[in-house]
Amino acid sequence: MYIYLYIRLLAAGLHCLGLSRGKVSVKSVESVSAGVEKARKSQVTAQDLMDAAVSLLGAHRSVSTLSLREIAREAGIAPNSFYRHFRDVDELTVALIDQAGRSLRGVVREARQRLSLERSGIRSSVEAFMDQLDSDDRYLQILLREMSTGSEAFRHAVDRELTYFEEELRDELVRMEQLTGHATYEPALTAKAITRLVVAMGASANDQGAEQRRELVEQTIVMIRMIMQGSQAMAKRATQDADSR
Amino acid sequence: MYIYLYIRLLAAGLHCLGLSRGKVSVKSVESVSAGVEKARKSQVTAQDLMDAAVSLLGAHRSVSTLSLREIAREAGIAPNSFYRHFRDVDELTVALIDQAGRSLRGVVREARQRLSLERSGIRSSVEAFMDQLDSDDRYLQILLREMSTGSEAFRHAVDRELTYFEEELRDELVRMEQLTGHATYEPALTAKAITRLVVAMGASANDQGAEQRRELVEQTIVMIRMIMQGSQAMAKRATQDADSR
DNA sequence: GCGATCAATATACACTTGTATTTATAGTTG
DNA sequence: CAACTATAAATACAAGTGTATATTGATCGC
């Protein structure tokens, strides 16, 4: 029965998202650098360049170690043609992180779909997160890696995505409190703790194989339950203290 | 009264550590690369090179972006002299991470000293951790940053240090259970959750100013309490289930 | 059909990088 | 003191980098 709390909690905490910004950033980048409203015909698109960059990033290679020429070579264009799409490698990286954010929201949406079929929302959410980690597009991996490395712009982009995730989760915690009567101690803090924990566990799953990753999923689920239980217990105690006073 | 649990928990969870390996790694590195038992006289030591590297690493620059020549320049030696001390920049990086591990144990020791004077062990431990983050030697910063970036060797070195931290914490959780009767649900998992959370929060504190960092410390303390409360509640429920069966 | 236009390439240049080889220098030892 | 030796510096080189400038080649409006 408690499980239902978690179901609604995590899985739906990811809730409405999606489709807010779409392909805006990449498009704007392109039009800015080109400075023209109508591009004649570009055989290699900005997306192709981003794909080339991703394909160069191994399991643990940071974007900051990519060179402009290397990316251009992988995409099959002359080095200078890179400038038609991005001013910098940094600019491409920011676009990559934006795409990773979209990927993250895809995770959320997928978790919601699974929710209707399975039992535990925690499980399905965490599993969806981990699945996305080793999907074909490795955007989520990249996002996690560039969290601590990279210049200001990267980290801001990453932070934006995580904060977004966090706020959705907090809103859902508050909503859940009204529905079920199980209060959460400090919803914003609880959401932050859960988010950071999932991200940290996900990052450490980057190296590992399938079965170790499954183990990690189980661990993460239990950890989240601990936080939820603790938060609810502290909420209950806080109200009791207030009553007795 | 509950606070005393936490006091013993976190602060002492860091317990005995220290002085296990000392300066071994750096020394061995040097003797291997030099291949000689008695160095004539080297005005610039391996430690000087490591210091130079650290001074080059800004707030968010990864070690993998340092060039051999750059480090040598900063240390004031000829590029080729670098080889007298390390074979690679990678080798220097591993030595740096070892040093960071020692720094981490220093944090622990400091937390234990504070413990005898103050009230909350959680607070003093977290504060010690954060203090170490912006101390003169930025080894802890480096360790956190290289956690996700860098080659195999780096991440293994980082993992070693964190696992060590984790195991100490788990042992202390188990010990606490016998002393106070407050059981912990899965001590190893609880220790892992707390460790990862503190590390994640610490990493995100890298950017921020003093007052924001103080806020982060407060948040981290509450988060840890949530985990502890949840773990204890789940332990209690588990035993109750076993009894009623 | 034909200049105009602009995306894509080619060439060029001034750097930086890692390292191999050579030269000078200072410390130890006979 | 002189001869030796290990070390630090100097020089050199091939490779790779970001970008400025010049060149091609296709597409479109007239």
Side-chain angles (χ1 to χ4, degrees), chain B residues 25 89-99 151 153-154 157 160:
Chain B
S25 75
V89 179
D90 279 22
E91 209 170 80
L92 182 145
T93 306
V94 172
L96 265 186
I97 291 178
D98 279 1
Q99 195 128 345
S151 63
F154 305 173
R160 191 179 348 122

Side-chain angles (χ1 to χ4, degrees), chain B residues 93-140:
Chain B
T93 306
V94 172
L96 265 186
I97 291 178
D98 279 1
Q99 195 128 345
R102 247 167 284 140
S103 174
L104 192 57
R105 292 168 207 172
V107 172
V108 166
R109 229 174 291 130
E110 188 181 351
R112 268 176 68 219
Q113 290 178 353
R114 290 197 195 182
L115 178 57
S116 54
L117 305 175
E118 298 184 22
R119 317 152 279 136
S120 167
I122 290 184
R123 177 175 299 277
S124 60
S125 293
V126 174
E127 281 176 352
F129 190 88
M130 295 294 182
D131 280 357
Q132 190 66 16
L133 265 181
D134 54 1
S135 83
D136 299 336
D137 50 349
R138 287 170 301 190
Y139 288 120
L140 195 48

Side-chain angles (χ1 to χ4, degrees), chain A residues 40-41 67-70 73 79-80 83 89:
Chain A
R40 281 293 173 84
K41 187 174 109 187
S67 77
L68 185 150
R69 288 177 110 109
E70 199 177 358
R73 206 180 307 135
N80 262 328
Y83 296 121
V89 179

Side-chain angles (χ1 to χ4, degrees), chain A residues 9-183:
Chain A
L9 181 223
L10 220 270
L14 324 173
H15 203 219
C16 63
L17 341 171
L19 48 90
S20 51
R21 289 182 309 165
K23 218 190 167 197
V24 164
S25 75
V26 174
K27 221 26 192 163
S28 71
V29 157
E30 188 170 5
S31 61
V32 161
S33 70
V36 178
E37 73 291 343
K38 187 172 80 176
R40 281 293 173 84
K41 187 174 109 187
S42 56
Q43 292 162 347
V44 169
T45 70
Q47 182 61 51
D48 289 336
L49 279 177
M50 291 165 64
D51 290 348
V54 169
S55 79
L56 283 172
L57 291 174
H60 290 283
R61 188 170 180 194
S62 165
V63 192
S64 62
T65 69
L66 288 180
S67 77
L68 185 150
R69 288 177 110 109
E70 199 177 358
I71 299 172
R73 206 180 307 135
E74 176 76 16
I77 62 172
N80 262 328
S81 301
F82 184 95
Y83 296 121
R84 297 280 155 192
H85 306 284
F86 302 100
R87 188 175 341 128
D88 259 338
V89 179
D90 279 22
E91 208 171 83
L92 181 145
T93 306
V94 172
L96 266 187
I97 292 178
D98 279 0
Q99 195 129 347
R102 247 166 285 141
S103 174
L104 191 57
R105 291 167 208 173
V107 172
V108 166
R109 229 173 293 130
E110 187 180 352
R112 270 175 67 217
Q113 290 177 354
R114 290 199 196 181
L115 177 57
S116 55
L117 305 175
E118 298 183 23
R119 317 152 279 137
S120 166
I122 290 185
R123 174 175 301 277
S124 60
S125 294
V126 174
E127 281 176 350
F129 190 88
M130 295 294 183
D131 280 358
Q132 190 66 16
L133 265 181
D134 52 3
S135 83
D136 300 335
D137 51 350
R138 288 169 301 191
Y139 288 121
L140 196 47
Q141 273 190 49
I142 294 172
L143 188 142
L144 294 187
R145 187 154 359 101
E146 302 300 322
M147 194 165 39
S148 47
T149 304
S151 64
E152 197 110 11
F154 305 174
R155 285 176 287 114
H156 275 31
V158 172
D159 217 59
R160 190 180 347 121
E161 300 299 337
L162 287 191
T163 304
Y164 185 68
F165 200 92
E166 224 171 275
E167 288 173 353
E168 288 291 326
L169 183 53
R170 169 188 42 114
D171 288 352
E172 194 59 27
L173 283 171
V174 172
R175 206 173 309 154
M176 193 191 76
E177 172 173 343
Q178 298 170 341
L179 286 180
T180 67
H182 281 84

Side-chain angles (χ1 to χ4, degrees), chain B residues 81-205:
Chain B
S81 301
F82 185 94
Y83 296 120
R84 297 280 154 194
H85 306 285
F86 302 100
R87 188 175 342 127
D88 259 339
V89 179
D90 279 22
E91 209 170 80
L92 182 145
T93 306
V94 172
L96 265 186
I97 291 178
D98 279 1
Q99 195 128 345
R102 247 167 284 140
S103 174
L104 192 57
R105 292 168 207 172
V107 172
V108 166
R109 229 174 291 130
E110 188 181 351
R112 268 176 68 219
Q113 290 178 353
R114 290 197 195 182
L115 178 57
S116 54
L117 305 175
E118 298 184 22
R119 317 152 279 136
S120 167
I122 290 184
R123 177 175 299 277
S124 60
S125 293
V126 174
E127 281 176 352
F129 190 88
M130 295 294 182
D131 280 357
Q132 190 66 16
L133 265 181
D134 54 1
S135 83
D136 299 336
D137 50 349
R138 287 170 301 190
Y139 288 120
L140 195 48
Q141 273 189 48
I142 295 171
L143 189 142
L144 294 187
R145 189 153 357 103
E146 303 300 322
M147 194 163 40
S148 47
T149 305
S151 63
E152 197 110 12
F154 305 173
R155 285 176 288 114
H156 275 32
V158 172
D159 217 59
R160 191 179 348 122
E161 301 298 338
L162 287 190
T163 305
Y164 185 68
F165 200 93
E166 223 172 276
E167 288 173 354
E168 288 290 326
L169 183 53
R170 169 188 42 116
D171 288 352
E172 194 58 28
L173 283 171
V174 172
R175 207 173 309 153
M176 194 191 76
E177 171 172 345
Q178 297 170 341
L179 286 179
T180 67
H182 281 84
T184 307
Y185 176 53
E186 285 200 33
L189 251 186
T190 308
K192 191 171 188 174
I194 292 176
T195 303
R196 300 300 163 120
L197 198 53
V198 170
V199 166
M201 292 296 282
S204 81

Side-chain angles (χ1 to χ4, degrees), chain A residues 146-230:
Chain A
E146 302 300 322
M147 194 165 39
S148 47
T149 304
S151 64
E152 197 110 11
F154 305 174
R155 285 176 287 114
H156 275 31
V158 172
D159 217 59
R160 190 180 347 121
E161 300 299 337
L162 287 191
T163 304
Y164 185 68
F165 200 92
E166 224 171 275
E167 288 173 353
E168 288 291 326
L169 183 53
R170 169 188 42 114
D171 288 352
E172 194 59 27
L173 283 171
V174 172
R175 206 173 309 154
M176 193 191 76
E177 172 173 343
Q178 298 170 341
L179 286 180
T180 67
H182 281 84
T184 308
Y185 176 52
E186 285 201 32
L189 250 186
T190 308
K192 191 172 188 174
I194 293 176
T195 303
R196 301 299 163 120
L197 198 54
V198 170
V199 166
M201 293 296 282
S204 81
N206 252 349
D207 314 8
Q208 310 186 335
E211 71 285 1
Q212 294 183 48
R213 195 169 293 202
R214 228 170 303 136
E215 170 75 12
L216 262 176
V217 170
E218 300 302 323
Q219 291 182 351
T220 307
I221 291 170
V222 177
M223 287 175 179
I224 294 175
R225 290 212 173 120
M226 286 180 183
I227 294 178
M228 288 293 301
Q229 292 270 359

